[in-house]
Amino acid sequence: MSSEEMLYAQGAKIWVPHAELVWESATLEESYRKGAGFLKICTESGRLKEVKLKADGSDLPPLRNPAILVGQNDLTTLSYLHEPGVLHNLRVRFCERQIIYTYCGIILVAINPYAEMPLYGPSIIRAYRGHAMGDLEPHIFALAEEAYTKLERENCNLSIIVSGESGAGKTVSAKYAMRYFAAVGGSESETQVERKVLASSPIMEAFGNAKTTRNDNSSRFGKFTKLLFRNQMGVMFLQGATMHTYLLEKSRVVYQAQGERNYHIFYQLCAARSKYPELVLDHQDKFQFLNMGGAPEIERVSDAEQFNETVQAMTVLGFSIQQIADIVKILAGILHLGNIQVSKKFNEGSEEEDTDSCDIFHNDIHLQITGDLLRVSAEDLRRWLLMRKIESVNEYVLIPNSIEAAQAARDALAKHIYAKLFQYIVGVLNKSLNNGSKQCSFIGVLDIYGFETFEVNSFEQFCINYANEKLQQQFNQHVFKLEQEEYLKEGITWTMIDFYDNQPCIDLIESRLGVLDLLDEECRMPKGSDESWAGKLIGKCSKFPHFEKPRFGSTSFFIKHFSDTVEYDVNGFLEKNRDTVSKELTQVLSESNMSLVKQVMTLEEIDTLSVDSAKSSTLGGRVVISAGRKQQGNDTRRRVVPSKQHRKTVGSQFQESLASLISTLHATTPHYVRCIKPNDDKVAFKWETAKIIQQLRACGVLETVRISAAGFPSRWLYPDFYMRYQLLVYRSKLDKNDMKLSCRNIVIKWIQDEDKYRFGNTQIFFRAGQVAFLEQVRANLRKKYITIVQSVVRRFIYRRQFLRIQIVINGIQRHARGFLARQRVQKMREARAGLILSKYARGWLCRRRYLRLRHSIFGIQTYARGMLARSKFHAMRDHYRAVQIQRFVRGALTRRAYQKRRRNIIICQAAIRRFLARRKFKRMKAEAKTISHMENKYMGLENKIISMQQRIDELNRDNSNLKHKTSEISVLKMKLELKKTLEAEFKNVKAACQDKDKLIEALNKQLEAERDEKMQLLEENGHAQEEWLSQKQTWRQENEELRRQIDEIIDMAKNAEVSQRNQEDRMLAEIDNRELNEAYQRAIKDKEVIENENYMLKEELSRLTAGSFSLHGRKASNASSQNEDDVGYASGKNTLDINRPPDLLSKNYSYNDSTSLVVKLRAILEEEKQKHKNLQEQYIKLASRHKPTEDSFRPACCLAGRGP
């Protein structure tokens, strides 16, 4: 079985890529076999899947480290050195154990916990003092102690390089390192030197730190602090310090992105404005340079208290009161300078705007305040903000500035003043920290910005990433050098380790015709622009493999850095690289009456990291150029020599200062601290894997792991290896006196490939994964041996336990049987005594229970009989009501059935009559064609007309009768109103009766309650005095008599009320029913008469219409066009139900519903009247239109006289 098959056995833990978690743990479901094309795994989330593999197994997923190696202090001691193993080890230490420091070879990885940790007190400093790195838990103090010990032992220069992205804790780590050096280099109770070193931090944070979207206290400059030590009797004492700064972000003075702030000192000054009324300051939101970000406050930070700490620290470092006051005035002058308003200017004599010039009001309050604070001429300042001078060979020309140019000149002046002030403050700090004595050696602490990439990357990000490229190169070279030294010391053979060399990327930036060279060349062009420079970059730098041009447009370019590919926007590169400011404006400030302003504006930039810088006591601050300048030995102050060096671009200055820094680091022994930001939300101990892995790649931790993994990362001392793995060979192969030979025998037996290990002088070196393989073999052997030993030991233990238990059980059984026998006898005695006692107790209890039960039964029977009587009464009442309901319901159902049957009979009759009428109509139709029929048809027409006239008169009389009936209906309405009044009175009486019923019921309940109380009193006081018995008997009889009388009264009241109610209902019902029935019958009769008359009128009208048409030449044969369905008989339509509306046919009104019945009857009468009226009008119209003459009457009379 190969080593791969043994390691990738079933149940082995591996790492697989994950989209969100980056790496996810998984378990092998099947063992791996060589040549297999896939692996079956089960992820930590419980999901089963298959991982495809190559045939040679070169892409096997990385294995997890054994449990014994998880959470190691040093990442390089892991058996499997790969990205998921490193990430998991850091996560276990940070999240589960809440340990923020971890070693990675020579690197200290510090993860920002975003919480207060009790790790930096004096007791912790004492604990790490004198201990080698690795003896205790990883800590920034352990790294500082390692550097300090090396300084004491070798008297050489050292450096601590702290890097990381914004918010990772670089400034805090550097601060704690300097605190440790101040403590061990002096005393824990701070001396004057230590106080000054520690006091420099709040000053630099106030003037060089600002709030960003990622960090509330982000350093916006690089800082290299040299802590100077002198050797006194073999002990290094802290003598002083010097500070060197890099690339201050001057653009933040005039512009801040959303959610960010300007430098802290401005907000601190506004918070303490009450102390300096002469500055005429206001709230920070009132100043243009402070309100751009919209985030003026920092949570849990008081700007006023911070200002007091800053002033106190400046006092400790030797700033005089006058110097502090002048610095404050300069800061206030910058704020007021930003509030100077540049307005439009109009041509003289017109309202046309002059776009080539602008104006500033003479009475601008901020202009006057700026002039007063800086002690310069406000008019000169205004003039050169509005104008610029262009010099030629023999003359110069004044050109007005546009609004944009004037604002740019104002902002450039503000940035220039602040940069010079920052340089002056650093110079004063260096002068105060360095007392001028001879320097022995130093420890440098470099707090440098980490690799940065944003959505929009400009000149500042380019310089920062360029510095990180140089530092990464130095780091790689140093790590590679340490690896080589370790191998040479141990005397092992090794091959060249391939590591990432970022020299091509550095050549792209700083070589001839590189990015910086082309940028400086474009800055020297009179009409150079960002776009033209971008075009030159694309044309000249495309040959470099680390340069990429954009797919679209030409305003950006890409550089492949060691960490990531970054896109840079060219807008603003030239302006920031030139860093130009108007000479006239600087001349105005140089002529200031304030000595500090004049001194600040005439400062010369020097390179404080040059070789001779340690010998000088100048005020050098910002690390730039001028390395070859000579100084006179007798000068106590730096002589300001005007030269053209101030015209050097920022890029070239930064390149030279960076080269000086790298050379300084190469001359020292470096120690590295990599600060990691775990999340963007600033939540304590929150782990975001994707963000952390990106930082580990950027800061070189994974590169260190890769270099270590490429060599022999696992190293064991011979004694340690012998003690752990001696059981892997037989005892005959081991020799305690020669552990190196014993270890060789162990390794040769299990690892066949000699390239997987090396034997050094004191250690054994293993390739990645070999220690895990040996751990697996050791675990298997231990499992086998332990199983054998356990089986023998368990047999012996269990047999001895059995014999002991057998003896003990025999003795326990003997004593237990005697005890049980005695207990059984005692129980028999107690059972017999209990039977006797229970006999008498049960008798007494039964008698008592019987008496109580009998008394209770008597009471229950009394109530039960009453309840049964009431139930019987309710049942009889319900039965009576049900019978009544059934009677009405059956009547209603019978009437409904009768009406339905009657309707069906009428329908049948109508159908039969229609059939007979049609047959008769056909016969009459045939007869109508004969002459005899025509004669009979017109016979007696005159008599019929006369009879119709009489009939009309009768209808008129009927109409008058109907009017009388209408008056009767009004009388009925009045009676209905009277009935409603009676119903209301009836309801009131009923309500009063219900109240009486409730009162009676309450009295009954009260009587029952009193009766219960008295019964209880009788039962409780049964053995009371005899004299009360007769009186109680009298009370009981009186109560019964009262109850009987009350019952009689209640029954009488109920009977009287019921009889009265029934009598009233019966009388009302009889009256109403009789009147309603009479009115209903009369209305029905009248309706029938009117319907008959209407029908006869319809017949006469139809005949008259037909006759009139025939008299005007209509043939008899035309009668066949009449609709057959309209022919019927009066007997089929003379019933009330046929013409009654559907709602009257479908409803059966009760006599009690008098109101609705009267309304329906009235509607029927009105409808019939209207029909009668319409028919009469039609008849009159037809009679007047077709009135017959004598000629037309004669043949009709003849036909009528013949007869049928």
Side-chain angles (χ1 to χ4, degrees):
M1 180 182 293
S2 63
S3 60
E4 288 83 2
E5 292 177 347
M6 181 178 292
L7 292 174
Y8 287 89
Q10 183 179 2
K13 303 290 186 180
I14 62 173
W15 294 102
V16 293
H18 192 272
E20 297 179 359
L21 303 177
V22 183
W23 293 98
E24 184 181 18
S25 178
T27 306
L28 289 179
E29 294 294 315
E30 294 181 358
S31 298
Y32 167 71
R33 295 290 179 266
K34 278 193 173 182
F38 61 89
L39 281 178
K40 290 185 177 180
I41 64 171
C42 178
T43 62
E44 197 171 21
S45 59
R47 186 165 55 92
L48 295 173
K49 67 177 185 178
E50 293 183 354
V51 178
K52 293 184 179 180
L53 301 176
K54 294 181 180 179
D56 57 354
S58 59
D59 58 344
L60 284 169
L63 289 164
R64 286 189 59 172
N65 285 288
I68 190 175
L69 299 178
V70 175
Q72 287 292 308
N73 293 340
D74 195 341
L75 297 176
T76 58
T77 60
L78 297 177
S79 178
Y80 298 116
L81 273 175
H82 43 57
E83 183 178 293
V86 170
L87 194 66
H88 179 65
N89 195 79
L90 289 174
R91 188 183 65 80
V92 170
R93 290 177 62 82
F94 182 70
C95 296
E96 298 179 9
R97 304 179 184 178
Q98 294 190 350
I99 301 175
I100 64 174
Y101 293 110
T102 306
Y103 294 130
C104 182
I106 62 172
I107 301 174
L108 176 66
V109 180
I111 305 177
N112 192 346
Y114 288 113
E116 294 293 334
M117 303 289 288
L119 301 175
Y120 309 103
S123 59
I124 305 296
I125 295 177
R126 287 193 296 270
Y128 278 90
R129 183 70 180 101
H131 289 274
M133 191 172 176
D135 293 348
L136 300 176
E137 283 288 327
H139 200 283
I140 186 67
F141 291 165
L143 187 72
E145 173 62 22
E146 178 76 11
Y148 185 76
T149 303
K150 190 175 182 65
L151 178 70
E152 284 185 325
R153 183 175 61 249
E154 301 179 9
N155 197 19
C156 62
N157 298 327
L158 299 101
S159 60
I160 296 178
I161 302 173
V162 184
S163 64
E165 74 170 47
S166 180
K170 302 185 299 297
T171 303
V172 176
S173 298
K175 186 190 301 183
Y176 285 133
M178 288 190 292
R179 177 181 295 180
Y180 185 85
F181 292 134
V184 300
S187 62
E188 293 182 10
S189 58
E190 301 169 349
T191 62
Q192 186 66 20
V193 177
E194 287 81 30
R195 284 184 60 205
K196 289 182 178 181
V197 172
L198 296 178
S200 64
S201 295
I203 299 175
M204 298 308 296
E205 288 182 5
F207 285 90
N209 290 20
K211 176 185 176 182
T212 65
T213 55
R214 297 184 179 183
N215 187 10
D216 291 341
N217 189 29
S218 176
S219 298
R220 308 316 300 165
F221 67 102
K223 179 176 63 175
F224 185 64
T225 304
K226 284 184 177 181
L227 301 176
L228 308 177
F229 293 87
R230 68 178 184 275
N231 192 351
Q232 293 183 357
M233 305 296 294
V235 179
M236 290 292 179
F237 286 94
L238 183 63
Q239 178 183 3
T242 59
M243 190 179 302
H244 318 284
T245 60
Y246 307 89
L247 195 63
L248 177 68
E249 187 182 7
K250 296 188 290 184
S251 60
R252 181 169 293 272
V253 177
V254 298
Y255 174 76
Q256 305 92 43
Q258 189 64 30
E260 297 187 353
R261 294 205 323 174
N262 206 323
Y263 291 103
H264 295 325
I265 188 63
F266 291 112
Y267 300 92
Q268 295 174 8
L269 184 60
C270 290
R273 59 184 179 273
S274 58
K275 297 181 180 180
Y276 303 96
E278 68 276 6
L279 303 181
V280 197
L281 291 176
D282 201 345
H283 191 266
Q284 52 209 17
D285 293 338
K286 302 296 184 181
F287 293 101
Q288 181 68 23
F289 286 167
L290 302 182
N291 59 11
M292 295 181 184
E297 304 293 337
I298 299 178
E299 188 176 359
R300 298 188 300 272
V301 174
S302 173
D303 289 324
E305 296 177 359
Q306 294 291 324
F307 182 76
N308 294 333
E309 293 181 6
T310 303
V311 173
Q312 184 178 359
M314 294 176 74
T315 304
V316 171
L317 286 168
F319 286 87
S320 65
I321 298 176
Q322 184 60 39
Q323 282 180 312
I324 296 175
D326 291 344
I327 291 172
V328 167
K329 288 181 180 180
I330 294 175
L331 294 172
I334 294 174
L335 293 180
H336 287 290
L337 179 63
N339 278 16
I340 296 176
Q341 295 295 326
V342 181
S343 58
K344 299 177 182 179
K345 185 176 182 180
F346 298 94
N347 294 327
E348 296 182 2
S350 65
E351 296 182 357
E352 183 180 358
E353 181 182 352
D354 186 3
T355 57
D356 295 332
S357 60
C358 59
D359 191 15
I360 298 175
F361 295 112
H362 290 276
N363 57 353
D364 191 315
I365 183 64
H366 295 285
L367 177 64
Q368 301 298 329
I369 295 174
T370 303
D372 294 339
L373 291 176
L374 300 181
R375 307 282 290 276
V376 297
S377 172
E379 188 60 32
D380 292 343
L381 184 63
R382 174 181 175 277
R383 178 189 178 191
W384 294 116
L385 285 175
L386 298 178
M387 305 291 290
R388 68 180 183 272
K389 181 192 295 185
I390 297 180
E391 297 181 1
S392 61
V393 179
N394 298 321
E395 60 182 4
Y396 64 88
V397 180
L398 295 179
I399 299 176
N401 288 330
S402 63
I403 295 179
E404 294 76 11
Q407 292 175 347
R410 179 196 63 189
D411 295 344
L413 180 62
K415 293 188 293 183
H416 185 71
I417 296 173
Y418 190 80
K420 289 292 185 178
L421 179 63
F422 186 79
Q423 179 184 350
Y424 170 78
I425 292 173
V426 173
V428 175
L429 290 179
N430 287 334
K431 186 176 180 181
S432 176
L433 292 174
N434 188 7
N435 55 13
S437 59
K438 184 178 180 181
Q439 174 186 342
C440 178
S441 55
F442 69 88
I443 297 178
V445 179
L446 177 62
D447 179 7
I448 196 72
Y449 15 66
F451 185 84
E452 288 187 355
T453 174
F454 301 107
E455 293 182 1
V456 178
N457 299 285
S458 187
F459 182 73
E460 291 83 3
Q461 283 71 42
F462 173 77
C463 293
I464 289 172
N465 295 339
Y466 168 49
N468 279 271
E469 287 284 353
K470 297 285 287 186
L471 291 173
Q472 182 66 21
Q473 184 186 43
Q474 188 270 341
F475 168 77
N476 291 341
Q477 293 174 354
H478 181 71
V479 171
F480 181 65
K481 179 181 177 182
L482 289 180
E483 286 287 319
Q484 290 179 340
E485 290 178 353
E486 182 72 17
Y487 296 157
L488 292 174
K489 186 180 69 173
E490 290 292 331
I492 64 174
T493 59
W494 55 280
T495 57
M496 181 65 67
I497 299 174
D498 183 23
F499 65 96
Y500 174 78
D501 187 9
N502 56 353
Q503 185 60 43
C505 183
I506 296 174
D507 291 340
L508 167 65
I509 297 173
E510 63 182 15
S511 65
R512 180 170 178 79
L513 297 181
V515 177
L516 287 177
D517 188 54
L518 291 175
L519 182 61
D520 291 343
E521 181 182 349
E522 190 69 21
C523 289
R524 288 191 292 269
M525 300 295 290
K527 296 184 179 180
S529 64
D530 296 327
E531 291 77 10
S532 60
W533 174 65
K536 291 181 180 179
L537 279 179
I538 295 174
K540 300 292 185 180
C541 297
S542 298
K543 60 183 179 181
F544 291 95
H546 289 263
F547 181 86
E548 285 185 4
K549 61 181 180 180
R551 294 184 179 179
F552 306 101
S554 60
T555 60
S556 63
F557 62 94
F558 292 87
I559 294 181
K560 296 179 181 179
H561 292 284
F562 72 94
S563 174
D564 196 3
T565 300
V566 182
E567 179 183 8
Y568 295 102
D569 189 353
V570 300
N571 292 326
F573 260 73
L574 264 67
E575 180 183 353
K576 294 177 181 178
N577 188 46
R578 290 182 181 130
D579 193 23
T580 56
V581 64
S582 175
K583 295 180 181 179
E584 291 73 22
L585 288 173
T586 57
Q587 184 64 28
V588 169
L589 294 176
S590 300
E591 296 173 356
S592 171
N593 295 326
M594 183 190 296
S595 59
L596 182 60
V597 174
K598 187 181 296 184
Q599 184 180 359
V600 164
M601 296 309 298
T602 55
L603 278 179
E604 183 182 359
E605 298 174 348
I606 65 170
D607 186 2
T608 54
L609 278 178
S610 60
V611 179
D612 300 329
S613 62
K615 301 178 181 179
S616 63
S617 58
T618 59
L619 299 177
R622 212 154 48 105
V623 178
V624 279
I625 54 172
S626 64
R629 179 174 299 280
K630 298 181 180 180
Q631 296 185 359
Q632 298 177 1
N634 298 328
D635 291 344
T636 58
R637 295 179 58 188
R638 183 176 67 241
R639 183 170 55 88
V640 178
V641 180
S643 66
K644 296 184 179 180
Q645 288 186 352
H646 68 278
R647 296 179 183 175
K648 263 194 173 179
T649 62
V650 175
S652 60
Q653 294 175 20
F654 185 73
Q655 181 180 0
E656 293 182 9
S657 63
L658 188 60
S660 177
L661 173 65
I662 296 300
S663 63
T664 302
L665 294 179
H666 279 305
T668 63
T669 302
H671 297 74
Y672 299 94
V673 179
R674 296 295 189 251
C675 299
I676 304 298
K677 184 179 181 180
N679 59 81
D680 288 327
D681 301 328
K682 304 176 184 177
V683 179
F685 293 100
K686 180 182 177 183
W687 181 270
E688 291 183 0
T689 307
K691 183 172 184 62
I692 290 174
I693 198 68
Q694 191 272 338
Q695 295 178 74
L696 291 175
R697 293 167 182 167
C699 67
V701 173
L702 296 182
E703 183 67 16
T704 304
V705 169
R706 197 189 65 80
I707 293 175
S708 299
F712 299 93
S714 299
R715 302 162 190 183
W716 286 75
L717 296 173
Y718 286 113
D720 297 338
F721 187 83
Y722 174 82
M723 292 302 296
R724 183 162 185 82
Y725 298 108
Q726 59 180 330
L727 60 88
L728 298 185
V729 295
Y730 296 111
R731 189 171 295 275
S732 60
K733 298 287 185 180
L734 299 177
D735 186 3
K736 293 184 178 180
N737 297 324
D738 192 355
M739 289 189 179
K740 185 174 182 179
L741 178 61
S742 301
C743 294
R744 181 184 294 274
N745 294 333
I746 296 172
V747 174
I748 292 175
K749 179 179 180 181
W750 293 103
I751 303 177
Q752 307 300 328
D753 189 358
E754 295 182 358
D755 188 56
K756 300 294 184 181
Y757 58 87
R758 291 287 187 277
F759 295 100
N761 296 329
T762 60
Q763 302 179 59
I764 307 177
F765 294 79
F766 291 99
R767 297 281 188 188
Q770 300 309 308
V771 175
F773 171 71
L774 293 177
E775 281 290 327
Q776 184 68 31
V777 174
R778 180 177 178 273
N780 295 338
L781 288 176
R782 287 187 65 192
K783 184 178 180 181
K784 176 183 175 182
Y785 297 154
I786 288 171
T787 303
I788 297 173
V789 172
Q790 285 179 344
S791 63
V792 176
V793 172
R794 285 170 183 163
R795 175 185 174 277
F796 171 76
I797 291 174
Y798 287 140
R799 187 174 182 277
R800 187 171 62 179
Q801 288 179 353
F802 170 75
L803 295 176
R804 289 179 179 177
I805 291 172
Q806 189 178 27
I807 296 172
V808 172
I809 287 175
N810 290 334
I812 291 173
Q813 285 179 346
R814 183 175 67 253
H815 292 286
R817 288 178 184 131
F819 175 74
L820 292 175
R822 289 189 294 273
Q823 274 194 342
R824 191 181 306 111
V825 172
Q826 183 67 22
K827 287 182 179 179
M828 292 173 62
R829 292 176 180 174
E830 291 176 355
R832 185 172 179 275
L835 289 174
I836 296 172
L837 291 174
S838 62
K839 178 178 67 176
Y840 289 102
R842 287 170 184 165
W844 180 76
L845 291 173
C846 288
R847 285 191 296 274
R848 183 178 179 186
R849 190 182 304 113
Y850 167 73
L851 294 175
R852 289 184 177 179
L853 184 62
R854 185 177 67 175
H855 181 267
S856 300
I857 288 172
F858 285 161
I860 291 170
Q861 285 178 345
T862 303
Y863 289 107
R865 286 166 184 163
M867 183 186 68
L868 290 174
R870 287 189 295 272
S871 299
K872 185 176 180 181
F873 167 72
H874 291 316
M876 291 173 65
R877 185 179 63 184
D878 293 342
H879 177 71
Y880 171 74
R881 292 176 178 174
V883 169
Q884 294 299 320
I885 292 170
Q886 288 176 353
R887 180 168 63 85
F888 287 110
V889 170
R890 286 167 182 164
L893 294 175
T894 303
R895 284 190 296 274
R896 185 180 299 172
Y898 162 72
Q899 290 176 358
K900 183 177 181 182
R901 186 175 181 185
R902 182 167 172 267
R903 189 182 306 108
N904 293 335
I905 290 171
I906 291 171
I907 292 171
C908 293
Q909 286 178 352
I912 293 170
R913 287 169 182 166
R914 183 178 61 183
F915 171 73
L916 295 175
R918 286 178 178 175
R919 187 169 58 182
K920 185 176 179 181
F921 171 71
K922 290 178 182 180
R923 186 174 61 253
M924 290 175 68
K925 187 177 182 182
E927 291 176 356
K929 296 179 181 180
T930 61
I931 298 172
S932 60
H933 176 73
M934 296 297 293
E935 291 176 355
N936 292 330
K937 183 176 181 181
Y938 294 106
M939 189 180 296
L941 182 59
E942 183 179 4
N943 296 330
K944 289 182 181 179
I945 292 172
I946 294 171
S947 62
M948 288 175 67
Q949 186 65 37
Q950 292 176 356
R951 186 64 56 83
I952 290 169
D953 296 336
E954 291 178 359
L955 289 174
N956 290 331
R957 288 194 298 273
D958 292 339
N959 286 333
S960 61
N961 293 331
L962 287 173
K963 291 180 180 180
H964 291 297
K965 290 178 181 180
T966 303
S967 61
E968 292 179 359
I969 290 172
S970 61
V971 175
L972 290 174
K973 286 184 179 180
M974 296 175 62
K975 291 182 178 180
L976 284 174
E977 295 294 333
L978 180 61
K979 182 176 179 299
K980 290 180 181 179
T981 305
L982 293 174
E983 286 180 353
E985 293 178 356
F986 171 70
K987 289 181 181 178
N988 294 332
V989 172
K990 187 175 180 180
C993 292
Q994 289 177 355
D995 294 338
K996 291 181 181 179
D997 291 340
K998 291 180 181 178
L999 180 60
I1000 293 169
E1001 185 178 357
L1003 291 174
N1004 286 332
K1005 290 182 180 179
Q1006 184 176 1
L1007 288 174
E1008 291 177 358
E1010 291 178 357
R1011 181 177 59 189
D1012 294 340
E1013 291 176 359
K1014 290 179 181 179
M1015 293 296 291
Q1016 291 177 359
L1017 290 173
L1018 289 175
E1019 186 176 355
E1020 293 176 357
N1021 300 324
H1023 301 287
Q1025 298 178 2
E1026 294 293 331
E1027 61 211 26
W1028 291 97
L1029 293 176
S1030 58
Q1031 187 174 0
K1032 288 182 181 179
Q1033 188 68 24
T1034 304
W1035 287 350
R1036 189 179 297 106
Q1037 292 176 359
E1038 290 177 356
N1039 287 335
E1040 291 176 354
E1041 184 65 18
L1042 288 172
R1043 191 181 303 108
R1044 184 178 58 79
Q1045 292 177 2
I1046 290 170
D1047 292 339
E1048 291 177 357
I1049 291 170
I1050 291 171
D1051 293 338
M1052 290 173 63
K1054 285 184 177 181
N1055 293 332
E1057 184 177 357
V1058 169
S1059 60
Q1060 183 179 0
R1061 189 185 309 136
N1062 292 336
Q1063 186 176 0
E1064 290 176 355
D1065 292 343
R1066 189 166 52 254
M1067 290 175 66
L1068 291 172
E1070 288 176 357
I1071 293 170
D1072 294 338
N1073 292 339
R1074 184 169 57 253
E1075 293 176 351
L1076 291 173
N1077 286 335
E1078 290 176 357
Y1080 182 68
Q1081 293 298 329
R1082 285 196 302 271
I1084 288 174
K1085 289 178 182 180
D1086 294 338
K1087 184 176 180 299
E1088 289 178 354
V1089 173
I1090 292 171
E1091 285 180 348
N1092 291 332
E1093 292 176 354
N1094 288 339
Y1095 181 77
M1096 293 303 293
L1097 286 173
K1098 287 180 181 180
E1099 291 293 331
E1100 293 297 332
L1101 286 172
S1102 62
R1103 290 195 191 102
L1104 183 57
T1105 305
S1108 63
F1109 290 157
S1110 63
L1111 290 175
H1112 286 82
R1114 182 181 177 89
K1115 295 181 180 180
S1117 60
N1118 294 337
S1120 62
S1121 64
Q1122 187 178 0
N1123 190 358
E1124 295 178 0
D1125 295 336
D1126 293 338
V1127 179
Y1129 295 89
S1131 61
K1133 298 182 179 180
N1134 196 18
T1135 59
L1136 179 63
D1137 293 334
I1138 292 175
N1139 291 325
R1140 184 176 299 177
D1143 54 351
L1144 293 177
L1145 292 174
S1146 61
K1147 280 190 175 183
N1148 293 319
Y1149 289 93
S1150 62
Y1151 291 110
N1152 294 329
D1153 196 1
S1154 58
T1155 305
S1156 61
L1157 181 60
V1158 170
V1159 172
K1160 292 294 183 181
L1161 290 174
R1162 183 175 180 184
I1164 292 169
L1165 290 174
E1166 293 294 330
E1167 184 180 356
E1168 294 301 330
K1169 286 180 182 180
Q1170 188 66 30
K1171 287 181 180 180
H1172 178 72
K1173 185 177 180 181
N1174 293 335
L1175 289 173
Q1176 188 174 3
E1177 290 176 357
Q1178 291 179 8
Y1179 175 77
I1180 294 170
K1181 289 179 181 179
L1182 289 173
S1184 62
R1185 187 182 301 175
H1186 306 290
K1187 188 172 183 181
T1189 59
E1190 290 182 0
D1191 295 335
S1192 62
F1193 250 97
R1194 193 172 290 121
C1197 292
C1198 294
L1199 291 173
R1202 291 179 186 179

